[in-house]
Amino acid sequence: MFLSMTGFGRSKREFDWGTVFFEITSVNHKYQDIVTKLPPELSSIETQLINLIRNSLGRGHIRLAVEIDFNPEARLPLIDETSVLNFYNQIKRIGRRHNFSFSTDLNTLLQTPGFMEANISTSVKIANEVEPAVWNEILNEAIKNLNEMKKSEGAKLQNVIEKDLGLLEKIVISLDSRWQLAKNEAVENLRTRIQNVMEHFNLELDEARIAQEVTLISDKWDVSEELARFHSHLDKFRAVINDKDSSGRKLDFLIQEIMREINTMGSKVNDAPFRWGVVEAKTCIERIREQIQNVE
């Protein structure tokens, strides 16, 4: 079963002071990379949330964003009434003493620094009344939704990869068949060239020596071992993608080995149809590699 590294999950929980939203996203990455964006009220539980993500998800660039939508009454600022009155009375006394005119303007008074303070009671409620397990529940719900999307995307990835894998298997079978023909043709052509050279220089033909030289040279063209390893790697690749705990790293390693074998075959065989088959195989392998990069 494939799990894509790309996904999105969201959850929310309502409290008497507001609603909390958790959003977690994941994109492909070589390792597990976790980034968080939390409001100040939840900064104390950042490590707790990161540990939960680390234990619940695999590799990928993972981003957790938490927002709090406070109810209006929960964020009303607090007015220091005593300070405002003292300040007001002090201004009145100065006005009377120096015969200044003075009109009461509450808006002007409230703009004075120190008279209005943020309502910290909501932050205290969040810190003291919400159990750590509650935050884990909300995050687990978001992770569950994320994993559902990753499974859905992973199934699509697997379908695409299996189609290309089937095509690659057909190409390899045709390469194997073409190699059997090309091998015989190459050996006969080599034997003919050697005989022509020896006849041109009036050299005595030694069939045993010619056979020995042809055998030595043809061994350098032989790709039977590469074809055997190619089939073995393909079988292992299929076994991994059908395993319930499929690993993107294993598949990435196997596709590198498959590419190595096809490159070797292309460098050994000069037959034009065979080399064109190698080009088609490499194109197919590259498509598979691109898809694998997003498998967890």
Side-chain angles (χ1 to χ4, degrees):
M1 179 184 69
F2 273 10
L3 272 183
S4 171
M5 279 189 281
T6 301
F8 170 82
R10 181 180 174 89
S11 63
K12 70 176 183 178
R13 184 70 60 88
E14 295 182 356
F15 299 90
D16 58 355
W17 37 263
T19 304
V20 179
F21 299 91
F22 276 56
E23 288 187 356
I24 186 166
T25 59
S26 176
V27 294
N28 61 319
H29 195 274
K30 191 174 182 180
Y31 306 104
Q32 187 188 69
D33 179 41
I34 302 173
V35 177
T36 61
K37 181 181 179 182
L38 307 179
E41 292 83 1
L42 299 182
S43 59
S44 61
I45 63 168
E46 182 177 22
T47 302
Q48 170 190 332
L49 299 180
I50 290 176
N51 288 336
L52 180 56
I53 294 172
R54 182 173 290 117
N55 295 328
S56 302
L57 298 174
R59 66 190 182 122
H61 178 73
I62 304 162
R63 182 177 185 273
L64 171 67
V66 181
E67 294 183 0
I68 301 178
D69 184 12
F70 289 101
N71 296 332
E73 63 274 11
R75 300 300 280 175
L76 288 175
L78 300 178
I79 301 175
D80 188 347
E81 186 176 349
T82 301
S83 297
V84 172
L85 289 174
N86 289 337
F87 185 66
Y88 172 72
N89 291 328
Q90 186 176 359
I91 291 177
K92 285 178 61 178
R93 288 196 299 271
I94 294 174
R96 287 196 298 267
R97 185 180 306 132
H98 297 282
N99 198 26
F100 292 158
S101 62
F102 176 75
S103 61
T104 304
D105 185 354
L106 187 58
N107 288 330
T108 303
L109 290 175
L110 293 180
Q111 292 176 12
T112 305
F115 288 170
M116 296 182 65
E117 299 177 355
N119 189 347
I120 63 172
S121 61
T122 302
S123 301
V124 173
K125 279 186 178 182
I126 294 174
N128 296 336
E129 297 181 9
V130 181
E131 295 292 334
V134 173
W135 302 119
N136 286 355
E137 291 175 5
I138 305 172
L139 179 55
N140 276 327
E141 184 180 349
I143 291 175
K144 178 183 176 182
N145 294 332
L146 169 67
N147 281 330
E148 288 177 356
M149 184 173 180
K150 290 172 70 175
K151 288 178 183 177
S152 175
E153 292 298 316
K156 296 176 183 177
L157 281 175
Q158 186 166 347
N159 287 335
V160 172
I161 290 174
E162 286 184 341
K163 286 181 181 178
D164 278 328
L165 196 61
L167 177 59
L168 182 59
E169 287 174 330
K170 291 179 180 179
I171 294 174
V172 175
I173 292 173
S174 66
L175 285 176
D176 202 346
S177 299
R178 180 60 199 173
W179 160 241
Q180 299 303 325
L181 296 174
K183 176 176 62 175
N184 296 330
E185 292 174 2
V187 169
E188 289 303 318
N189 290 337
L190 178 61
R191 182 187 295 275
T192 300
R193 287 199 300 272
I194 293 175
Q195 289 177 339
N196 291 337
V197 169
M198 296 187 72
E199 290 174 359
H200 178 76
F201 290 102
N202 295 320
L203 299 175
E204 183 179 352
L205 293 175
D206 183 346
E207 290 295 335
R209 183 59 186 271
I210 291 176
Q212 182 182 10
E213 292 298 325
V214 169
T215 301
L216 290 173
I217 295 175
S218 62
D219 283 343
K220 297 179 180 179
W221 302 336
D222 188 24
V223 293
S224 56
E225 291 184 7
E226 285 79 6
L227 283 168
R229 286 195 295 268
F230 200 104
H231 285 293
S232 176
H233 293 330
L234 284 180
D235 291 341
K236 183 62 178 177
F237 194 96
R238 279 204 175 277
V240 173
I241 67 175
N242 291 321
D243 189 83
K244 68 175 184 178
D245 296 321
S246 182
S247 169
R249 289 185 177 180
K250 287 182 182 179
L251 295 175
D252 188 53
F253 172 77
L254 283 170
I255 207 67
Q256 289 181 41
E257 293 300 308
I258 290 172
M259 181 63 86
R260 185 175 291 111
E261 300 299 341
I262 201 69
N263 282 332
T264 302
M265 286 189 279
S267 65
K268 279 188 172 184
V269 181
N270 289 324
D271 179 70
F274 186 92
R275 296 186 70 137
W276 178 248
V278 167
V279 171
E280 290 183 328
K282 291 171 70 172
T283 302
C284 191
I285 292 169
E286 282 298 332
R287 287 201 303 267
I288 295 174
R289 190 206 297 269
E290 289 176 5
Q291 300 297 332
I292 289 173
Q293 300 307 311
N294 203 34
V295 177
E296 185 176 303

